[in-house]
Every structure is written in C-alpha cells, then in structure tokens.
C-alpha cells in the first residue's frame, strides 16, 4: 500500500505530542507522598524507640545498644554493603557476554518475482569477549574493593564516636545516681533550716535583718541543690537520646565493669609515651589519613583505566543466526571471528584525562599533608589537655575529700543555735558540689583521654568487632567492649613498640 502524506494526521499527532509534553512538565501534588512518608516515619520511630532492656545497663551494654540503634551507623553499614555489591557487579562484567535476539518484520511489498515472503523471522545468539572490557572490569573490581575499605573505615570511625559519646553520657548518669542519697540528705537539712526560719519569724525574737540574711542563704543553697538536680536530669535525657529511647523513661545504669583504676592506669601510661611516638602512630593509623591513602590508590587505578581505554579494542565473537528470508536449507548459519577497533580521539582524550588525574593526585597529596599537620598539632594539644585534666581531677578529688570531712564533722555535732543548722546544710551542699566538681573533672579527663586516643589513631572500637552486625547479640558486643576497655593499658603500652 503506497504512503500518502496527510497534513491533518500530522497536525493531530503534533497536537497530541504537545499535550502529552505539557502534562509531563506539570508536577503532581505531593500530598499523598508526604502522607505516606509521614506514616512510614512515625511507624519507624515507634519501632526505633523500642523498650530498653529490663536489666540495668553498664557502660559497655549501653554502648552496644546505642551502636545497634544509631541511624548513622546503619547508613555506614549500607554504604559498605553497596561497595560489596559494586565488587560483585564489576566481577560479573569480566565474564564473556551472551546476547540472544529474536524479531519479526512485516513488509507491505517485495520485489516482483523474488519469491521473498512479506513476513520475516530473525533470531540470533552470539557469545563475545573483549580483552579491553576484561581489563577495565578487573581494574573496576580492584577500585570497588578499595572503596569498600574507605566505607569500612568510616563505619568504624562512626562506631568509635558513638562509643565515646555514649560512654560519657552513661558516666554522667551513673555519677548523678550515685549522688542521690547525698542530695536527699542535703534536701532534708535545708528543710530543717526552712522550718527553723519559719519558727523564728513567727516568734519575732531576732532582728529582721538576720532573718532576711538567713533566708537568702537558704535560697542560695536551694538553688545550688536544684542546679545539681537539673544537671542529672539533662544527663539522663542525653543518654536516652543516644539510646533512641523515650526521654520520659530514662535507662537504668549498673556498676561499670571497667574500674576507674584501670582507666587511670591507661591515662598515666599514655602520658608516659613520648610525644613524637604518638605523632608517628597518628600519621600511620589515623582513619582520615588512611582514607586518603586509599583515594590516592584509586586515582592511580583511574589513570591505568584511562590509558587502557585508549588502546585498540579487540573483540572475539562466535554466534549462530537464523533468517527465513534466505534461500538456505536450513535457513541459519554459524559465524565467528574477531574485530579490532581503534578510536583516534581516544589517545588525546586519555592524555587530557590523565592530566586531570594528575591534578587530583596533587590535591590529594596536599590534603593529606594538611591533615597530617593538623593530626600532629591535635596530638600535641590533646596530650597537653590530658595532662591538665589529670591535674585538675586530682585537685578536685582532694577538695571532695576535704569537703566531705568538713560535712562529716558538722553533722556529728549537735546544733545549739539556728546558725549551726544552717552551717550543717551549707557543709552538706558544699560537699555535694565538690563531689559534682570531682565527677565533672573525671568526665573531662576521660573525654580528653578518648580524644587523644582517636587523634593518635588508636581504635576505640575493638578489633574483635570490625563492623557492626545487626543480628549480633547485644551481650556478645558488650563483652567484646569490656575486654577491649580492660586491655587498654596493655594496648597503650604496646603502642611505643609498634611504632618502633
């Protein structure tokens, strides 16, 4: 049937295409998408804020629980899984390719007298393998494996950050709960003082100025006691947030399996290590510096891949084709051979890409140098801060002992005057504040110590747990953390020999 040009048909087709294009450019309302997302988020939040374990948690159990429910850790785990999938994908691309094709073609007319049918069936199967494609896939496999190292290190770094934050938050809550009895005693003494002031004011036996000064002292002490309670509430809320639990139901803490003496011995051993040894260990083992090492290796792979793609393409093939439009009996044939192709612009393109990669390698070297300089300065500053924090903690502990002794003597004496009861309450609150200051000094010391370990390239997350696994039992992770923290003094002692 001959073809006839129809302007009306062409105009209708153009109008329909224009209408479809206009509709495609109009965004659909987001109401349904937003509603679906909000429903999924609310369900996920309810699941994420699941009930905490019934038993009280020590520091390591809290860290293990926080690592298992932290969303950033889950994202890092998914990045590592994507890198593993990229390795599998690149490995498959190294295999020969098998292509199968089938089709049907119908014509309205054929050459007169040719005897060719109007309908035509075609089928083909071909197995091919390219040497250049194999080399490119091999390099991509190596590159994907190196990217997996980067994601694994990022995951460990994230786990270490969660471990430090959770352990410090747990320590604040544990210190607050340990002060519960002392706060109750201080509150009782303040209550006695307030009752005594009410009796004195009712009797009118003292100068009103004395009453006002007495009340001012009681209000100041009550405010100090309330501040200590507010700090405890804030610590519980911080720990609940790290554990992704309801802040209205704070977790219960148990005794820490890692004793303070163990951590103090590790702090002392760290300060005994020469500064240049810590700096060398940091340059060798810092996660950010090692990540740049892997990035530099990836850039070298990219350069190799660039020059490889500029080479002539050799392709081997073997296949069978079937076509009913041929006068063969049977109507199929086999074919094999090879092809060699060379892109004349490929060499120039490879040279330009290699120049870009050289600039990127230079940027990586400068970035690594800047990070190395910052790491050295961070180690020096961290070591100085740790030494100052240790001195502050020792002074705070001495003042805690002195204030506790004063409060003990005050409470042992029977009050004869109303000022004696006020002094008892003041001594108790002062001892409480000295204890809070000592606890804060220890928290600061532990924080400076962990920061110095991270700056020096010492893994806070144990080597026994190279990556977090969601199906690992909570107690198994907590036990590995306990062993790791208890062995910190030995690990720090081995640091000098490792660098040497």
């Amino acid at each position: 049937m001959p073809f006839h040009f129809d302007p009306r048909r062409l105009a209708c087709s153009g109008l329909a295409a224009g209408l479809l294009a206009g509709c495609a450019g109009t965004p659909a309302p987001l109401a349904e998408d937003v509603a679906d997302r909000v429903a999924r988020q609310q369900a996920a939040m309810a699941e994420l804020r699941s009930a905490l374990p019934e038993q009280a948690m020590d520091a390591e159990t809290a860290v293990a629980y926080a690592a298992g429910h932290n969303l950033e850790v889950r994202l890092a785990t998914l990045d590592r899984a994507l890198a593993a999938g990229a390795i599998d994908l690149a490995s498959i691309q190294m295999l020969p390719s098998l292509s199968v094709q089938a089709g049907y073609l119908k014509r309205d007319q054929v050459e007169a007298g040719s005897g060719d049918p109007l309908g035509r069936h075609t089928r083909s199967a071909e197995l091919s393998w390219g040497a250049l494609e194999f080399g490119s896939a091999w390099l991509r496999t190596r590159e994907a494996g190196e990217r997996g190292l980067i994601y694994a290190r990022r995951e460990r770094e994230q786990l270490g950050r969660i471990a430090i934050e959770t352990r410090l938050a747990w320590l604040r809550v544990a210190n607050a709960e340990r002060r519960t009895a002392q706060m109750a005693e201080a509150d009782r003494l303040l209550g006695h003082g307030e009752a005594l002031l009410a009796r004195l004011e009712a009797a009118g036996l003292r100068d009103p100025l004395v009453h006002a000064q007495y009340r001012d002292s009681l209000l100041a002490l009550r405010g100090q006691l309330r501040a200590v309670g507010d700090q405890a509430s804030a610590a519980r809320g911080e720990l609940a947030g790290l554990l992704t639990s309801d802040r209205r139901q704070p977790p219960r803490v148990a005794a820490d399996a890692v004793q303070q003496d163990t951590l103090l011995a590790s702090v002392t051993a760290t300060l005994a290590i020469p500064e240049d040894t810590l700096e060398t260990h940091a340059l060798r083992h810092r996660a950010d510096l090692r990540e740049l090492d892997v990035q530099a290796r990836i850039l070298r792979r990219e350069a190799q891949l660039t020059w490889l793609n500029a080479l002539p393409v050799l392709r081997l093939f073997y296949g069978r084709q079937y076509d009913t439009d041929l006068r063969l009996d049977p109507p199929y044939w086999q074919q094999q051979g090879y092809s060699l192709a060379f892109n004349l612009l490929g060499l120039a393109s490879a040279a330009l890409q290699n120049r870009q990669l050289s600039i990127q390698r230079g940027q990586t070297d400068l970035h690594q140098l800047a990070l190395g300089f910052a790491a050295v300065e961070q180690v020096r500053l961290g070591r100085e801060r740790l030494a100052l924090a240790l001195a502050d903690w020792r002074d705070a502990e001495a003042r805690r002992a002195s204030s506790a002794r004063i409060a003990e003597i005050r409470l042992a004496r029977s009050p004869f005057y109303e000022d004696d009861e006020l002094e008892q309450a003041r001594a108790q609150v002062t001892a409480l504040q000295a204890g809070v200051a000592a606890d804060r000094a220890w928290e600061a010391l532990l924080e400076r110590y962990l920061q110095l370990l991270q700056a020096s390239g010492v893994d806070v997350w144990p080597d026994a747990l190279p990556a977090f696994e969601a199906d690992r039992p909570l107690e198994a992770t907590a036990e590995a953390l306990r062993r790791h923290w208890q062995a910190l003094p030995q690990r720090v002692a081995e640091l000098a020999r490792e660098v040497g």
Side-chain angles (χ1 to χ4, degrees), residues 358-371:
S358 298
I359 296 175
Q360 293 181 14
R361 287 196 297 270
Q363 289 178 334
T364 302
D365 292 339
L366 288 177
H367 190 196
Q368 198 167 33
L369 179 60
L371 280 181

Side-chain angles (χ1 to χ4, degrees), residues 102-170:
Y104 176 77
L105 178 65
K106 185 176 181 180
R107 296 173 287 190
D108 60 347
Q109 60 180 350
V110 295
E111 183 179 357
S114 64
D116 293 336
L118 297 178
R120 177 181 179 183
H121 292 277
T122 59
R123 291 189 295 271
S124 65
E126 183 178 272
L127 182 67
S128 61
W129 181 80
L132 181 60
E133 295 174 355
F134 174 81
S136 299
W138 184 82
L139 289 177
R140 290 193 186 95
T141 304
R142 297 294 300 272
E143 181 179 334
E146 288 157 357
R147 292 190 185 278
L149 291 178
I150 292 178
Y151 291 129
R153 289 193 174 275
R154 289 179 181 176
E155 183 185 28
R156 288 179 59 81
E157 187 176 1
Q158 185 67 28
L159 288 169
R161 185 185 65 82
I162 294 298
I164 291 176
E165 293 179 356
T166 306
R167 185 171 185 84
L168 292 175
W170 179 92

Side-chain angles (χ1 to χ4, degrees), residues 341-360:
F342 180 70
N343 186 1
L344 299 180
L345 296 178
L347 189 60
S349 177
L352 293 175
Q353 292 180 13
N354 188 66
R355 187 179 66 179
Q356 293 295 106
L357 291 173
S358 298
I359 296 175
Q360 293 181 14

